């Protein structure tokens, strides 16, 4: 199975940004964690990060026919981007939504998730573990 892991704006600043929320581990640590988890599960993973909404749309479109599924932390675009939602629906991408924190327990404006409207599952509030849970869900055939 080939999985594309996409990260949205400001996730490149992990370790620096609001450490009381996101912890002290860096984006490079997340890259290592995801690569190790993928190896353990026998999943082929590629991970990318962008601060740009259109780039996320491009990557979702281009994943069609290349990747079996997308693990998506759209970060702030989760709560604002109809374009990302439309891209997922347009290419019928299999998407698992992930978040380090649990947006539903934070500010009111984070309660809406456009990504969640098209995602088959959401894992949130587990830190890096949200990415592991998403990969385990996909590797397990999507049943758990
Ligand atoms: C986030 C949660 C979002 O609300 C926020 O805008 C982020 C990170 C998370 O992983 O917890 O940038 O997606």
């Amino acid at each position: 199975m080939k999985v594309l892991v996409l990260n949205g704006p400001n996730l490149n600043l992990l370790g620096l940004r609001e450490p009381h929320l996101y912890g002290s581990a860096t984006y490079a640590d997340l890259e290592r964690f995801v690569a190790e988890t993928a190896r353990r599960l026998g999943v082929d993973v590629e991970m990318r990060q962008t601060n740009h909404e259109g780039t996320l749309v491009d990557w979702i479109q281009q994943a069609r026919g290349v990747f079996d599924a997308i693990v998506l932390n759209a970060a702030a675009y989760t709560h604002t981007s109809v374009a990302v939602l439309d891209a997922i629906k347009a290419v019928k991408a299999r998407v698992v939504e992930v978040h380090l924190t649990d947006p539903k327990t934070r500010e009111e404006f984070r309660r809406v998730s456009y990504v969640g409207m098209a995602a088959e599952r959401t894992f949130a509030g587990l830190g890096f573990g949200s990415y592991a849970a998403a990969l385990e869900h996909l590797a397990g055939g999507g049943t758990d």
Side-chain angles (χ1 to χ4, degrees):
M1 158 168 270
K2 282 187 75 173
V3 178
L4 180 61
V5 181
L6 296 182
N7 294 290
N10 303 305
L11 290 168
N12 56 313
L13 295 185
L14 281 181
L16 188 78
R17 73 178 290 212
E18 302 180 274
H20 58 289
L21 288 174
Y22 298 110
S24 56
T26 65
Y27 184 77
D29 293 330
L30 178 60
E31 285 182 312
R32 274 188 289 274
F33 177 83
V34 165
E36 273 162 30
T37 304
R39 209 171 304 125
R40 170 169 66 80
L41 295 170
V43 172
D44 188 356
V45 154
E46 182 175 327
M47 183 157 106
R48 303 177 197 159
Q49 188 276 331
T50 178
N51 292 327
H52 304 280
E53 184 177 14
T55 304
L56 274 181
V57 169
D58 287 343
W59 286 345
I60 291 165
Q61 290 184 7
Q62 291 159 7
R64 184 169 161 264
V66 180
F67 293 92
D68 300 299
I70 299 172
V71 172
L72 178 57
N73 185 350
Y77 291 135
T78 304
H79 317 298
T80 62
S81 183
V82 177
V84 168
L85 170 62
D86 284 351
I88 295 167
K89 288 166 93 171
V91 298
K92 298 190 179 74
R94 189 178 175 198
V95 167
V96 180
E97 174 186 23
V98 294
H99 300 285
L100 297 160
T101 62
D102 184 356
K104 301 252 183 283
T105 66
R106 296 178 59 190
E107 301 95 324
E108 185 77 34
F109 62 82
R110 294 184 204 274
R111 304 245 168 98
V112 171
S113 171
Y114 288 99
V115 172
M117 291 173 198
E120 68 180 51
R121 280 292 298 266
T122 297
F123 295 98
L126 306 172
F128 287 3
S130 297
Y131 291 74
L135 291 173
E136 277 159 14
H137 163 77
L138 290 169
T143 50
D144 56 347

